[in-house]
């Protein structure tokens, strides 16, 4: 199933900020061979999951452009549309970085990993493969998103990148 790319109109059916072709160019330029080895279907899955994770795991400044939109961008700042095509470049970069992380860890979804073995004395826990913990944050991705994050009441941090 082809990705539906957010185009800046607040689409209700969007499931990605970037296309597979965009991600291929991005990762190729950085020599990320793990991305190149994935099938197109797997790349689409990784990008969908990354867009969802970005949209619902951080609190962004402003408000949704369209209350029914599927993803966190585009945004309104003080009632005015933050004028970008779909999402800011740094948000798109963050999505592609998260999609790569999923390919490196083997995660196919964002959620809580199932504990499959736990040892109490000299504590040791083993988790099922294929899931990334929702509590895990990626410092590089978070740093990319900092200009768009909500700094709390009266402290809007959303600035042009």
């Amino acid at each position: 199933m082809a990705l539906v790319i957010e185009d800046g109109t607040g689409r209700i059916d969007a499931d990605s900020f970037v296309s597979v072709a965009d991600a291929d160019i991005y990762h190729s330029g950085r020599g990320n061979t793990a991305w190149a080895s994935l099938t197109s279907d797997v790349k689409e899955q990784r990008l969908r999951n990354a867009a969802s994770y970005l949209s619902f795991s951080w609190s962004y400044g402003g408000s949704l452009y369209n209350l029914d939109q599927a993803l966190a961008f585009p945004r309104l700042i003080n009632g005015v549309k933050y004028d970008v095509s779909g999402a800011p470049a740094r948000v798109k970069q963050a999505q592609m970085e998260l999609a790569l992380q999923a390919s490196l860890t083997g995660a196919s979804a964002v959620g809580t990993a199932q504990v499959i073995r736990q040892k109490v004395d000299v504590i040791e826990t083993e988790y099922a493969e294929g899931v990334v913990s929702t509590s895990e944050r990626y410092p590089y991705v978070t740093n990319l998103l900092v200009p768009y994050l909500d700094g709390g009441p009266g402290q809007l941090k959303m600035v042009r990148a």
Side-chain angles (χ1 to χ4, degrees):
M1 181 175 175
L3 291 172
V4 178
I5 309 301
E6 175 54 61
D7 60 7
T9 62
R11 295 182 64 137
I12 62 171
D13 60 346
D15 55 10
S16 185
F17 296 116
V18 297
S19 67
V20 170
D22 293 334
D24 286 346
I25 292 167
Y26 176 85
H27 289 300
S28 174
R30 287 161 178 73
N32 297 330
T33 56
W35 181 260
S37 67
L38 301 174
T39 67
S40 290
D41 286 344
V42 171
K43 290 176 182 178
E44 286 182 6
Q45 291 168 1
R46 300 293 194 253
L47 288 169
R48 270 188 199 95
N49 291 340
S52 292
Y53 187 74
L54 281 172
S55 291
F56 302 107
S57 295
W58 280 269
S59 178
Y60 298 101
S63 59
L64 296 174
Y65 177 66
N66 170 6
L67 290 178
D68 294 325
Q69 72 190 52
L71 301 174
F73 288 87
R75 312 281 303 168
L76 293 174
I77 304 299
N78 298 324
V80 178
K81 182 179 176 196
Y82 183 68
D83 194 17
V84 293
S85 179
R90 291 171 70 125
V91 172
K92 293 175 181 180
Q93 184 178 353
Q95 179 187 2
M96 293 181 285
E97 288 292 336
L98 284 173
L100 175 65
Q101 283 299 315
S103 69
L104 296 175
T105 62
S108 60
V110 175
T112 303
Q114 178 185 12
V115 176
I116 58 174
R117 185 172 66 84
Q118 194 166 21
K119 182 178 177 182
V120 177
D121 189 29
V122 188
I123 300 170
E124 181 178 317
T125 305
E126 183 178 342
Y127 297 94
E129 288 186 31
V131 181
V132 176
S133 170
T134 54
S135 64
E136 184 175 350
R137 294 291 181 151
Y138 299 94
Y140 180 65
V141 169
T142 300
N143 287 333
L144 286 170
L145 299 175
V146 162
Y148 315 107
L149 299 177
D150 185 355
Q155 298 183 14
L156 206 63
K157 280 191 174 180
M158 194 156 187
V159 296
R160 293 197 185 272

Short mmCIF file of all heavy atoms in Angstrom, two decimals, residues 21-87:
data_model
loop_
_atom_site.label_atom_id
_atom_site.label_comp_id
_atom_site.label_asym_id
_atom_site.label_seq_id
_atom_site.Cartn_x
_atom_site.Cartn_y
_atom_site.Cartn_z
N ALA A 21 11.28 7.39 -1.84
CA ALA A 21 12.33 7.98 -2.68
C ALA A 21 13.11 9.05 -1.91
O ALA A 21 14.34 9.10 -2.00
CB ALA A 21 11.73 8.57 -3.95
N ASP A 22 12.40 9.89 -1.15
CA ASP A 22 13.07 10.91 -0.32
C ASP A 22 14.00 10.24 0.69
O ASP A 22 15.14 10.67 0.87
CB ASP A 22 12.06 11.75 0.46
CG ASP A 22 11.19 12.63 -0.42
OD1 ASP A 22 11.62 13.00 -1.53
OD2 ASP A 22 10.06 12.94 0.01
N ALA A 23 13.51 9.21 1.35
CA ALA A 23 14.31 8.50 2.36
C ALA A 23 15.50 7.79 1.71
O ALA A 23 16.59 7.75 2.29
CB ALA A 23 13.44 7.51 3.13
N ASP A 24 15.30 7.23 0.53
CA ASP A 24 16.40 6.57 -0.18
C ASP A 24 17.53 7.56 -0.48
O ASP A 24 18.70 7.27 -0.26
CB ASP A 24 15.91 5.95 -1.49
CG ASP A 24 15.08 4.69 -1.28
OD1 ASP A 24 15.08 4.12 -0.16
OD2 ASP A 24 14.44 4.25 -2.26
N ILE A 25 17.17 8.75 -0.94
CA ILE A 25 18.16 9.78 -1.25
C ILE A 25 18.88 10.22 0.03
O ILE A 25 20.11 10.33 0.07
CB ILE A 25 17.50 10.98 -1.95
CG1 ILE A 25 17.04 10.57 -3.35
CG2 ILE A 25 18.45 12.19 -2.01
CD1 ILE A 25 16.10 11.57 -4.02
N TYR A 26 18.10 10.46 1.07
CA TYR A 26 18.66 10.89 2.36
C TYR A 26 19.66 9.86 2.89
O TYR A 26 20.80 10.21 3.24
CB TYR A 26 17.52 11.09 3.36
CG TYR A 26 17.96 11.44 4.76
CD1 TYR A 26 18.22 12.77 5.11
CD2 TYR A 26 18.09 10.46 5.74
CE1 TYR A 26 18.62 13.10 6.39
CE2 TYR A 26 18.49 10.80 7.03
CZ TYR A 26 18.75 12.11 7.35
OH TYR A 26 19.14 12.43 8.61
N HIS A 27 19.26 8.60 2.95
CA HIS A 27 20.13 7.57 3.52
C HIS A 27 21.30 7.22 2.61
O HIS A 27 22.39 6.92 3.09
CB HIS A 27 19.32 6.33 3.90
CG HIS A 27 18.43 6.57 5.08
ND1 HIS A 27 18.92 6.94 6.31
CD2 HIS A 27 17.09 6.52 5.22
CE1 HIS A 27 17.92 7.11 7.16
NE2 HIS A 27 16.80 6.86 6.52
N SER A 28 21.09 7.28 1.30
CA SER A 28 22.18 7.02 0.36
C SER A 28 23.28 8.06 0.54
O SER A 28 24.48 7.72 0.55
CB SER A 28 21.65 7.06 -1.07
OG SER A 28 22.72 6.96 -1.99
N GLY A 29 22.89 9.30 0.71
CA GLY A 29 23.87 10.38 0.91
C GLY A 29 24.66 10.24 2.19
O GLY A 29 25.73 10.82 2.33
N ARG A 30 24.13 9.49 3.13
CA ARG A 30 24.81 9.28 4.41
C ARG A 30 25.47 7.90 4.50
O ARG A 30 25.99 7.53 5.54
CB ARG A 30 23.82 9.48 5.56
CG ARG A 30 23.49 10.94 5.73
CD ARG A 30 22.22 11.17 6.51
NE ARG A 30 21.97 12.59 6.70
CZ ARG A 30 21.58 13.43 5.74
NH1 ARG A 30 21.38 12.99 4.52
NH2 ARG A 30 21.38 14.70 5.99
N GLY A 31 25.39 7.14 3.42
CA GLY A 31 26.03 5.82 3.39
C GLY A 31 25.35 4.79 4.28
O GLY A 31 26.00 3.85 4.75
N ASN A 32 24.06 4.97 4.55
CA ASN A 32 23.32 4.04 5.41
C ASN A 32 22.88 2.82 4.60
O ASN A 32 21.78 2.76 4.09
CB ASN A 32 22.11 4.75 6.03
CG ASN A 32 22.53 5.88 6.94
OD1 ASN A 32 23.60 5.84 7.54
ND2 ASN A 32 21.71 6.90 7.03
N THR A 33 23.78 1.85 4.49
CA THR A 33 23.52 0.67 3.67
C THR A 33 22.42 -0.22 4.24
O THR A 33 21.78 -0.96 3.50
CB THR A 33 24.80 -0.17 3.48
OG1 THR A 33 25.31 -0.51 4.77
CG2 THR A 33 25.84 0.62 2.69
N ALA A 34 22.18 -0.14 5.54
CA ALA A 34 21.10 -0.95 6.14
C ALA A 34 19.76 -0.55 5.53
O ALA A 34 18.90 -1.41 5.31
CB ALA A 34 21.07 -0.76 7.66
N TRP A 35 19.57 0.73 5.24
CA TRP A 35 18.33 1.20 4.63
C TRP A 35 18.20 0.67 3.21
O TRP A 35 17.15 0.21 2.79
CB TRP A 35 18.26 2.73 4.65
CG TRP A 35 17.00 3.26 4.07
CD1 TRP A 35 16.82 3.76 2.81
CD2 TRP A 35 15.71 3.30 4.71
NE1 TRP A 35 15.51 4.12 2.63
CE2 TRP A 35 14.81 3.86 3.78
CE3 TRP A 35 15.25 2.93 5.96
CZ2 TRP A 35 13.46 4.05 4.06
CZ3 TRP A 35 13.90 3.13 6.25
CH2 TRP A 35 13.03 3.68 5.31
N ALA A 36 19.29 0.74 2.46
CA ALA A 36 19.27 0.32 1.06
C ALA A 36 18.92 -1.16 0.91
O ALA A 36 18.34 -1.57 -0.10
CB ALA A 36 20.63 0.60 0.41
N SER A 37 19.22 -1.96 1.91
CA SER A 37 18.98 -3.40 1.82
C SER A 37 17.52 -3.79 2.09
O SER A 37 17.14 -4.94 1.88
CB SER A 37 19.90 -4.15 2.79
OG SER A 37 19.54 -3.85 4.13
N LEU A 38 16.70 -2.84 2.52
CA LEU A 38 15.30 -3.13 2.82
C LEU A 38 14.45 -3.13 1.55
O LEU A 38 14.75 -2.39 0.61
CB LEU A 38 14.73 -2.10 3.79
CG LEU A 38 15.42 -1.98 5.15
CD1 LEU A 38 14.83 -0.80 5.92
CD2 LEU A 38 15.28 -3.26 5.93
N THR A 39 13.38 -3.90 1.55
CA THR A 39 12.44 -3.86 0.43
C THR A 39 11.61 -2.58 0.52
O THR A 39 11.51 -1.96 1.59
CB THR A 39 11.48 -5.07 0.45
OG1 THR A 39 10.63 -4.95 1.61
CG2 THR A 39 12.23 -6.38 0.48
N SER A 40 10.98 -2.19 -0.57
CA SER A 40 10.13 -0.99 -0.58
C SER A 40 9.00 -1.11 0.42
O SER A 40 8.65 -0.13 1.10
CB SER A 40 9.58 -0.74 -1.97
OG SER A 40 10.61 -0.33 -2.83
N ASP A 41 8.40 -2.31 0.53
CA ASP A 41 7.30 -2.50 1.49
C ASP A 41 7.77 -2.28 2.93
O ASP A 41 7.07 -1.64 3.72
CB ASP A 41 6.70 -3.90 1.35
CG ASP A 41 5.85 -4.06 0.10
OD1 ASP A 41 5.46 -3.03 -0.50
OD2 ASP A 41 5.56 -5.21 -0.27
N VAL A 42 8.92 -2.79 3.26
CA VAL A 42 9.45 -2.63 4.62
C VAL A 42 9.81 -1.17 4.87
O VAL A 42 9.53 -0.63 5.95
CB VAL A 42 10.66 -3.56 4.87
CG1 VAL A 42 11.35 -3.24 6.19
CG2 VAL A 42 10.22 -5.02 4.83
N LYS A 43 10.38 -0.49 3.88
CA LYS A 43 10.69 0.93 4.02
C LYS A 43 9.41 1.72 4.30
O LYS A 43 9.39 2.60 5.16
CB LYS A 43 11.37 1.46 2.77
CG LYS A 43 12.79 0.95 2.58
CD LYS A 43 13.36 1.43 1.25
CE LYS A 43 14.76 0.89 1.02
NZ LYS A 43 15.31 1.33 -0.28
N GLU A 44 8.34 1.41 3.56
CA GLU A 44 7.06 2.09 3.80
C GLU A 44 6.56 1.86 5.22
O GLU A 44 6.10 2.78 5.88
CB GLU A 44 6.00 1.62 2.80
CG GLU A 44 6.20 2.17 1.42
CD GLU A 44 5.11 1.74 0.44
OE1 GLU A 44 4.12 1.10 0.87
OE2 GLU A 44 5.25 2.05 -0.76
N GLN A 45 6.66 0.62 5.70
CA GLN A 45 6.23 0.31 7.07
C GLN A 45 7.04 1.11 8.08
O GLN A 45 6.48 1.69 9.03
CB GLN A 45 6.40 -1.18 7.35
CG GLN A 45 5.45 -2.06 6.58
CD GLN A 45 5.85 -3.54 6.67
OE1 GLN A 45 6.83 -3.90 7.33
NE2 GLN A 45 5.10 -4.39 6.00
N ARG A 46 8.35 1.15 7.88
CA ARG A 46 9.22 1.88 8.81
C ARG A 46 8.88 3.38 8.80
O ARG A 46 8.86 4.02 9.85
CB ARG A 46 10.69 1.70 8.44
CG ARG A 46 11.20 0.26 8.48
CD ARG A 46 11.21 -0.31 9.87
NE ARG A 46 11.98 -1.53 9.94
CZ ARG A 46 11.47 -2.74 10.06
NH1 ARG A 46 10.17 -2.91 10.12
NH2 ARG A 46 12.23 -3.81 10.13
N LEU A 47 8.64 3.93 7.63
CA LEU A 47 8.30 5.36 7.54
C LEU A 47 6.95 5.65 8.17
O LEU A 47 6.78 6.66 8.85
CB LEU A 47 8.34 5.82 6.08
CG LEU A 47 9.75 5.94 5.48
CD1 LEU A 47 9.68 6.15 3.97
CD2 LEU A 47 10.54 7.06 6.14
N ARG A 48 5.97 4.78 7.96
CA ARG A 48 4.65 4.95 8.60
C ARG A 48 4.79 4.95 10.12
O ARG A 48 4.24 5.81 10.81
CB ARG A 48 3.70 3.81 8.21
CG ARG A 48 2.91 4.06 7.00
CD ARG A 48 1.85 2.97 6.77
NE ARG A 48 1.45 3.04 5.39
CZ ARG A 48 1.96 2.30 4.41
NH1 ARG A 48 2.86 1.37 4.68
NH2 ARG A 48 1.55 2.46 3.18
N ASN A 49 5.50 3.96 10.63
CA ASN A 49 5.67 3.85 12.08
C ASN A 49 6.42 5.06 12.64
O ASN A 49 6.07 5.58 13.71
CB ASN A 49 6.40 2.56 12.44
CG ASN A 49 5.56 1.33 12.19
OD1 ASN A 49 4.33 1.41 12.11
ND2 ASN A 49 6.20 0.19 12.03
N ALA A 50 7.43 5.51 11.93
CA ALA A 50 8.21 6.66 12.39
C ALA A 50 7.35 7.94 12.40
O ALA A 50 7.44 8.74 13.33
CB ALA A 50 9.44 6.85 11.50
N ALA A 51 6.51 8.12 11.39
CA ALA A 51 5.64 9.31 11.35
C ALA A 51 4.65 9.27 12.50
O ALA A 51 4.39 10.30 13.13
CB ALA A 51 4.90 9.39 10.01
N SER A 52 4.10 8.12 12.78
CA SER A 52 3.17 7.99 13.92
C SER A 52 3.89 8.27 15.23
O SER A 52 3.37 8.99 16.09
CB SER A 52 2.55 6.59 13.95
OG SER A 52 1.70 6.41 12.86
N TYR A 53 5.06 7.69 15.39
CA TYR A 53 5.83 7.88 16.61
C TYR A 53 6.15 9.36 16.81
O TYR A 53 5.98 9.91 17.90
CB TYR A 53 7.11 7.05 16.52
CG TYR A 53 7.93 7.02 17.78
CD1 TYR A 53 7.52 6.28 18.88
CD2 TYR A 53 9.12 7.73 17.88
CE1 TYR A 53 8.28 6.24 20.04
CE2 TYR A 53 9.89 7.69 19.03
CZ TYR A 53 9.46 6.95 20.12
OH TYR A 53 10.22 6.92 21.26
N LEU A 54 6.58 10.04 15.74
CA LEU A 54 6.87 11.48 15.82
C LEU A 54 5.63 12.28 16.18
O LEU A 54 5.69 13.24 16.94
CB LEU A 54 7.41 11.99 14.49
CG LEU A 54 8.86 11.71 14.18
CD1 LEU A 54 9.18 12.10 12.75
CD2 LEU A 54 9.77 12.45 15.15
N SER A 55 4.51 11.90 15.61
CA SER A 55 3.28 12.67 15.79
C SER A 55 2.68 12.53 17.18
O SER A 55 2.01 13.45 17.65
CB SER A 55 2.24 12.25 14.74
OG SER A 55 2.67 12.67 13.46
N PHE A 56 2.92 11.40 17.83
CA PHE A 56 2.22 11.16 19.09
C PHE A 56 3.13 10.95 20.30
O PHE A 56 2.65 10.68 21.39
CB PHE A 56 1.27 9.97 18.93
CG PHE A 56 0.27 10.22 17.83
CD1 PHE A 56 0.37 9.56 16.62
CD2 PHE A 56 -0.74 11.16 18.01
CE1 PHE A 56 -0.54 9.83 15.60
CE2 PHE A 56 -1.65 11.42 16.99
CZ PHE A 56 -1.55 10.75 15.78
N SER A 57 4.44 11.10 20.14
CA SER A 57 5.35 10.90 21.26
C SER A 57 6.01 12.18 21.75
O SER A 57 6.76 12.16 22.70
CB SER A 57 6.44 9.89 20.88
OG SER A 57 5.86 8.63 20.64
N TRP A 58 5.75 13.29 21.10
CA TRP A 58 6.28 14.59 21.51
C TRP A 58 5.13 15.58 21.55
O TRP A 58 4.12 15.42 20.86
CB TRP A 58 7.34 15.09 20.53
CG TRP A 58 8.70 14.50 20.71
CD1 TRP A 58 9.71 14.99 21.50
CD2 TRP A 58 9.21 13.31 20.09
NE1 TRP A 58 10.81 14.17 21.40
CE2 TRP A 58 10.54 13.14 20.55
CE3 TRP A 58 8.70 12.38 19.21
CZ2 TRP A 58 11.34 12.09 20.15
CZ3 TRP A 58 9.49 11.33 18.82
CH2 TRP A 58 10.80 11.19 19.29
N SER A 59 5.29 16.63 22.33
CA SER A 59 4.29 17.69 22.41
C SER A 59 4.83 18.90 21.66
O SER A 59 5.84 19.48 22.04
CB SER A 59 4.03 18.05 23.87
OG SER A 59 3.11 19.10 23.95
N TYR A 60 4.15 19.27 20.58
CA TYR A 60 4.61 20.36 19.72
C TYR A 60 3.91 21.66 20.05
O TYR A 60 2.77 21.66 20.51
CB TYR A 60 4.38 19.99 18.25
CG TYR A 60 5.15 18.76 17.83
CD1 TYR A 60 4.52 17.52 17.73
CD2 TYR A 60 6.50 18.84 17.56
CE1 TYR A 60 5.23 16.39 17.36
CE2 TYR A 60 7.22 17.72 17.20
CZ TYR A 60 6.58 16.49 17.09
OH TYR A 60 7.29 15.38 16.74
N GLY A 61 4.58 22.75 19.74
CA GLY A 61 4.00 24.07 19.93
C GLY A 61 2.88 24.33 18.94
O GLY A 61 2.77 23.67 17.91
N GLY A 62 2.05 25.30 19.25
CA GLY A 62 0.95 25.64 18.36
C GLY A 62 -0.17 24.62 18.43
O GLY A 62 -0.32 23.90 19.41
N SER A 63 -0.95 24.55 17.36
CA SER A 63 -2.05 23.59 17.30
C SER A 63 -2.13 23.00 15.90
O SER A 63 -1.50 23.51 14.97
CB SER A 63 -3.37 24.29 17.65
OG SER A 63 -3.61 25.36 16.74
N LEU A 64 -2.89 21.94 15.77
CA LEU A 64 -3.05 21.30 14.48
C LEU A 64 -3.68 22.27 13.48
O LEU A 64 -4.56 23.05 13.83
CB LEU A 64 -3.94 20.06 14.60
CG LEU A 64 -3.40 18.92 15.45
CD1 LEU A 64 -4.46 17.83 15.60
CD2 LEU A 64 -2.12 18.34 14.86
N TYR A 65 -3.25 22.19 12.24
CA TYR A 65 -3.82 23.01 11.18
C TYR A 65 -5.26 22.59 10.91
O TYR A 65 -6.13 23.41 10.67
CB TYR A 65 -2.95 22.86 9.92
CG TYR A 65 -3.47 23.61 8.73
CD1 TYR A 65 -3.50 25.00 8.72
CD2 TYR A 65 -3.90 22.94 7.60
CE1 TYR A 65 -3.97 25.70 7.62
CE2 TYR A 65 -4.37 23.63 6.49
CZ TYR A 65 -4.40 25.00 6.51
OH TYR A 65 -4.87 25.68 5.42
N ASN A 66 -5.51 21.30 10.94
CA ASN A 66 -6.83 20.72 10.71
C ASN A 66 -7.07 19.73 11.85
O ASN A 66 -6.29 18.81 12.04
CB ASN A 66 -6.85 20.01 9.35
CG ASN A 66 -8.08 19.18 9.12
OD1 ASN A 66 -9.02 19.17 9.91
ND2 ASN A 66 -8.08 18.45 8.02
N LEU A 67 -8.11 19.92 12.62
CA LEU A 67 -8.35 19.06 13.78
C LEU A 67 -8.45 17.58 13.44
O LEU A 67 -8.21 16.73 14.29
CB LEU A 67 -9.61 19.51 14.53
CG LEU A 67 -9.47 20.84 15.26
CD1 LEU A 67 -10.80 21.21 15.93
CD2 LEU A 67 -8.35 20.81 16.27
N ASP A 68 -8.78 17.26 12.20
CA ASP A 68 -8.92 15.86 11.80
C ASP A 68 -7.69 15.31 11.09
O ASP A 68 -7.70 14.18 10.62
CB ASP A 68 -10.14 15.69 10.88
CG ASP A 68 -11.44 15.95 11.62
OD1 ASP A 68 -11.52 15.62 12.82
OD2 ASP A 68 -12.37 16.50 11.00
N GLN A 69 -6.62 16.10 11.00
CA GLN A 69 -5.43 15.62 10.29
C GLN A 69 -4.82 14.42 11.00
O GLN A 69 -4.92 14.29 12.22
CB GLN A 69 -4.42 16.74 10.10
CG GLN A 69 -3.69 17.18 11.36
CD GLN A 69 -2.89 18.45 11.15
OE1 GLN A 69 -3.41 19.45 10.66
NE2 GLN A 69 -1.61 18.41 11.51
N ALA A 70 -4.18 13.57 10.23
CA ALA A 70 -3.65 12.31 10.76
C ALA A 70 -2.32 12.46 11.49
O ALA A 70 -2.03 11.69 12.41
CB ALA A 70 -3.49 11.30 9.62
N LEU A 71 -1.51 13.44 11.11
CA LEU A 71 -0.18 13.60 11.68
C LEU A 71 -0.05 14.94 12.40
O LEU A 71 -0.93 15.79 12.30
CB LEU A 71 0.87 13.48 10.57
CG LEU A 71 0.87 12.15 9.80
CD1 LEU A 71 1.86 12.19 8.64
CD2 LEU A 71 1.16 10.98 10.72
N ALA A 72 1.06 15.13 13.11
CA ALA A 72 1.25 16.32 13.94
C ALA A 72 1.52 17.61 13.17
O ALA A 72 1.40 18.69 13.72
CB ALA A 72 2.40 16.08 14.91
N PHE A 73 1.88 17.51 11.92
CA PHE A 73 2.13 18.69 11.09
C PHE A 73 1.26 18.61 9.86
O PHE A 73 0.95 17.51 9.40
CB PHE A 73 3.62 18.77 10.69
CG PHE A 73 4.50 19.15 11.83
CD1 PHE A 73 5.00 18.18 12.68
CD2 PHE A 73 4.84 20.47 12.05
CE1 PHE A 73 5.80 18.52 13.76
CE2 PHE A 73 5.65 20.82 13.12
CZ PHE A 73 6.13 19.85 13.97
N PRO A 74 0.83 19.77 9.32
CA PRO A 74 1.21 21.15 9.61
C PRO A 74 0.59 21.68 10.91
O PRO A 74 -0.34 21.09 11.43
CB PRO A 74 0.69 21.93 8.40
CG PRO A 74 -0.45 21.12 7.90
CD PRO A 74 -0.10 19.69 8.20
N ARG A 75 1.14 22.81 11.39
CA ARG A 75 0.72 23.42 12.65
C ARG A 75 0.30 24.87 12.44
O ARG A 75 0.72 25.52 11.49
CB ARG A 75 1.88 23.42 13.65
CG ARG A 75 2.63 22.14 13.83
CD ARG A 75 2.01 21.12 14.68
NE ARG A 75 1.70 21.51 16.03
CZ ARG A 75 0.93 20.77 16.82
NH1 ARG A 75 0.41 19.64 16.38
NH2 ARG A 75 0.67 21.14 18.04
N LEU A 76 -0.51 25.35 13.36
CA LEU A 76 -0.86 26.76 13.45
C LEU A 76 -0.11 27.35 14.62
O LEU A 76 -0.08 26.76 15.71
CB LEU A 76 -2.36 26.95 13.68
CG LEU A 76 -3.31 26.53 12.56
CD1 LEU A 76 -4.75 26.64 13.04
CD2 LEU A 76 -3.08 27.37 11.33
N ILE A 77 0.48 28.52 14.42
CA ILE A 77 1.17 29.23 15.49
C ILE A 77 0.43 30.55 15.65
O ILE A 77 0.38 31.35 14.71
CB ILE A 77 2.65 29.48 15.15
CG1 ILE A 77 3.37 28.17 14.84
CG2 ILE A 77 3.35 30.25 16.27
CD1 ILE A 77 3.39 27.19 15.97
N ASN A 78 -0.14 30.75 16.83
CA ASN A 78 -0.95 31.95 17.09
C ASN A 78 -2.02 32.14 16.01
O ASN A 78 -2.26 33.24 15.54
CB ASN A 78 -0.07 33.20 17.21
CG ASN A 78 0.88 33.09 18.38
OD1 ASN A 78 0.55 32.55 19.43
ND2 ASN A 78 2.09 33.59 18.20
N GLY A 79 -2.62 31.02 15.58
CA GLY A 79 -3.70 31.06 14.61
C GLY A 79 -3.26 31.18 13.16
O GLY A 79 -4.08 31.20 12.26
N VAL A 80 -1.95 31.27 12.92
CA VAL A 80 -1.42 31.40 11.56
C VAL A 80 -0.70 30.13 11.18
O VAL A 80 0.09 29.58 11.96
CB VAL A 80 -0.45 32.61 11.47
CG1 VAL A 80 0.14 32.73 10.08
CG2 VAL A 80 -1.16 33.89 11.88
N LYS A 81 -0.94 29.66 9.93
CA LYS A 81 -0.30 28.42 9.48
C LYS A 81 1.20 28.62 9.40
O LYS A 81 1.69 29.59 8.83
CB LYS A 81 -0.84 27.99 8.12
CG LYS A 81 -0.24 26.69 7.65
CD LYS A 81 -0.80 26.27 6.32
CE LYS A 81 -0.12 25.02 5.82
NZ LYS A 81 -0.36 24.80 4.42
N TYR A 82 1.92 27.71 10.01
CA TYR A 82 3.37 27.66 9.90
C TYR A 82 3.64 27.16 8.49
O TYR A 82 3.37 26.02 8.17
CB TYR A 82 3.95 26.72 10.97
CG TYR A 82 5.45 26.66 10.99
CD1 TYR A 82 6.20 27.75 11.38
CD2 TYR A 82 6.10 25.50 10.61
CE1 TYR A 82 7.58 27.70 11.40
CE2 TYR A 82 7.48 25.44 10.63
CZ TYR A 82 8.22 26.54 11.03
OH TYR A 82 9.58 26.49 11.04
N ASP A 83 4.09 28.02 7.61
CA ASP A 83 4.10 27.77 6.17
C ASP A 83 5.26 26.88 5.73
O ASP A 83 6.34 27.36 5.43
CB ASP A 83 4.14 29.10 5.43
CG ASP A 83 3.83 28.94 3.95
OD1 ASP A 83 3.28 27.90 3.58
OD2 ASP A 83 4.16 29.85 3.19
N VAL A 84 5.01 25.59 5.71
CA VAL A 84 5.97 24.62 5.18
C VAL A 84 5.18 23.61 4.35
O VAL A 84 3.98 23.48 4.49
CB VAL A 84 6.74 23.87 6.30
CG1 VAL A 84 7.65 24.81 7.05
CG2 VAL A 84 5.80 23.16 7.24
N SER A 85 5.87 22.91 3.51
CA SER A 85 5.23 21.89 2.68
C SER A 85 5.18 20.57 3.45
O SER A 85 6.15 19.83 3.47
CB SER A 85 6.00 21.72 1.37
OG SER A 85 5.39 20.71 0.60
N GLY A 86 4.07 20.31 4.10
CA GLY A 86 3.88 19.07 4.85
C GLY A 86 4.42 19.14 6.25
O GLY A 86 3.67 19.04 7.20
N ALA A 87 5.71 19.32 6.40
CA ALA A 87 6.35 19.39 7.71
C ALA A 87 7.70 20.06 7.53
O ALA A 87 8.27 20.04 6.44
CB ALA A 87 6.53 18.00 8.30
#
